[in-house]
Amino acid sequence: LELEVLRDTRNRTIRALCGQRSMPRSVWDLPAGQRRTLLRHLLVSDKYRFLYCYVPKVACSNWKRILKVLDGALESVDVQGKMDHKSDLVFLGDMKPEEISYRLKHYYKFLFVRNPMERLLSAYRNKFGEIKEYQQKYGVEIVRRYRKNGGNSAGDDVTFSEFLRYLLDEDVERMNEHWMPIYNLCQPCAVRYDFIGSYERLRDDADHVLERIQAPSFIRFPERQAWYKPVTAQTLHYYLCNTQRRLIKELLPKYILDFSLFAYPLPNITSEFCRQ
């Protein structure tokens, strides 16, 4: 019952906010750049007639595995190895306008969302703590820009505060997809999603989607990879409470639609909370 109440609250909030005159009513109402971003994140299954808007750091690798298994490009969701995020996947953005409109109108559409601050922290720990490509491409520049005498950094020592300062200065439309707001990636006002699942109830919500698309019974949502380091409540508490409150407060407007549309509470950074 609690789950149904939350979903109903989320749906009503989306309808209310998206009903405002300034909000886009369809994909074709979006500026060209925003439309490209959206269509680049909508994955297509013609066989099972669904569209999935993938959001990095919200279990999208496992959903891509499922799409590949459904399409016969992958033997099992449990196949180990680095995920190729491009091959054997069909993107709505590669189709003609009339093909796009047909699928948006007739296919089952879903996405999965996550607490915005938890998602940012997950991206920070993964990309700057583990991925050399991101350390070199973004980390070196972030340290050089925000740290005095930071010119010798290899980009593997970016602090969370430096990362947040970088996000503050970034144009949302130009952000990397791993920290671009979910609203900008999936445009829930321009696309009427049939289901919005959440990372916090991943297993149950994934089972609901698999049943709804009539996936074969042998397909189940994959287990979390053994190497994955989850963001716990304690980890989030530590990072939020050891970061300048001003930085977090100034950053919230960039992600406010993710908080409000998807019914996530704003982060608690009060002194009382941080003393716990």
Side-chain angles (χ1 to χ4, degrees), residues 2-4 6-7 10-11 14 52-53 55 57-60 63 108 110-116 118-119 182 194-209 221 224 258 261-265:
E2 182 181 344
L3 186 58
E4 291 302 319
L6 182 58
R7 284 178 184 160
R10 179 176 288 163
N11 290 337
I14 290 174
Y52 159 58
C53 187
V55 178
K57 310 312 299 179
V58 192
C60 76
W63 275 114
Y108 181 74
F110 70 94
L111 79 146
F112 275 71
V113 299
R114 185 178 187 179
N115 178 297
E118 187 180 304
R119 177 173 170 250
I182 297 173
D194 298 287
F195 184 77
I196 298 178
S198 73
Y199 190 82
E200 295 76 21
R201 295 177 303 279
L202 184 57
R203 178 68 56 184
D204 289 342
D205 284 354
D207 286 346
H208 172 85
V209 171
F221 198 77
R224 178 182 287 157
D258 284 3
L261 281 171
F262 307 128
Y264 285 109

Side-chain angles (χ1 to χ4, degrees), residues 33-196:
Q34 293 181 20
R35 185 164 60 248
R36 271 195 305 273
T37 297
L38 168 63
L39 295 178
R40 230 177 20 233
H41 286 82
L42 281 166
L43 291 168
V44 183
S45 172
D46 282 329
K47 185 176 180 180
Y48 290 89
R49 295 176 65 85
F50 70 79
L51 301 177
Y52 159 58
C53 187
Y54 81 87
V55 178
K57 310 312 299 179
V58 192
C60 76
S61 293
N62 279 341
W63 275 114
K64 288 175 181 176
R65 278 192 180 85
I66 287 175
L67 262 81
K68 292 187 181 194
V69 173
L70 288 173
D71 198 43
L74 197 65
E75 187 178 310
S76 164
V77 295
D78 297 318
V79 171
Q80 298 297 312
K82 186 173 173 61
M83 165 61 62
D84 186 328
H85 290 269
K86 297 296 180 185
S87 69
D88 300 315
L89 293 168
V90 180
F91 297 84
L92 196 60
D94 293 332
M95 296 184 171
K96 297 174 183 177
E98 60 271 20
E99 296 173 326
I100 292 170
S101 293
Y102 177 85
R103 285 160 178 78
L104 285 168
K105 183 177 181 181
H106 296 287
Y107 282 18
Y108 181 74
K109 299 172 287 294
F110 70 94
L111 79 146
F112 275 71
V113 299
R114 185 178 187 179
N115 178 297
M117 290 306 300
E118 187 180 304
R119 177 173 170 250
L120 285 181
L121 179 55
S122 178
Y124 162 76
R125 294 173 79 207
N126 173 234
K127 299 308 174 189
F128 299 109
E130 301 170 4
I131 312 296
K132 200 170 190 67
E133 177 190 348
Y134 276 76
Q135 294 167 0
Q136 294 173 342
K137 184 175 180 179
Y138 295 98
V140 170
E141 171 61 20
I142 289 172
V143 173
R144 186 195 63 76
R145 193 188 299 182
Y146 300 108
R147 189 185 306 171
K148 196 171 182 179
N149 302 320
N152 296 323
S153 171
D156 58 353
D157 59 344
V158 177
T159 68
F160 190 56
S161 292
E162 288 168 341
F163 176 55
L164 296 190
R165 288 180 68 186
Y166 167 71
L167 295 180
L168 270 172
D169 291 338
E170 275 287 274
D171 178 355
V172 167
E173 299 297 335
R174 297 177 182 273
M175 282 183 176
N176 179 280
E177 63 175 10
H178 290 85
W179 43 81
M180 182 182 281
I182 297 173
Y183 176 85
N184 298 80
L185 292 172
C186 293
Q187 297 289 344
C189 291
V191 177
R192 295 186 71 104
Y193 290 97
D194 298 287
F195 184 77
I196 298 178

Side-chain angles (χ1 to χ4, degrees), residues 205-259:
D205 284 354
D207 286 346
H208 172 85
V209 171
L210 290 172
E211 182 179 344
R212 176 60 181 76
I213 65 173
Q214 297 184 316
S217 58
F218 70 86
I219 292 183
R220 52 174 177 71
F221 198 77
E223 296 294 330
R224 178 182 287 157
Q225 297 289 320
W227 51 262
Y228 181 74
K229 300 175 185 174
V231 174
T232 64
Q234 292 77 19
T235 309
L236 185 61
H237 180 281
Y238 173 82
Y239 276 93
L240 289 180
C241 292
N242 285 278
T243 301
Q244 288 179 302
R245 291 182 199 171
R246 175 187 60 81
L247 270 179
I248 296 171
K249 287 180 178 178
E250 288 178 3
L251 187 64
L252 290 181
K254 283 196 169 179
Y255 294 88
I256 197 64
L257 284 174
D258 284 3
F259 283 105

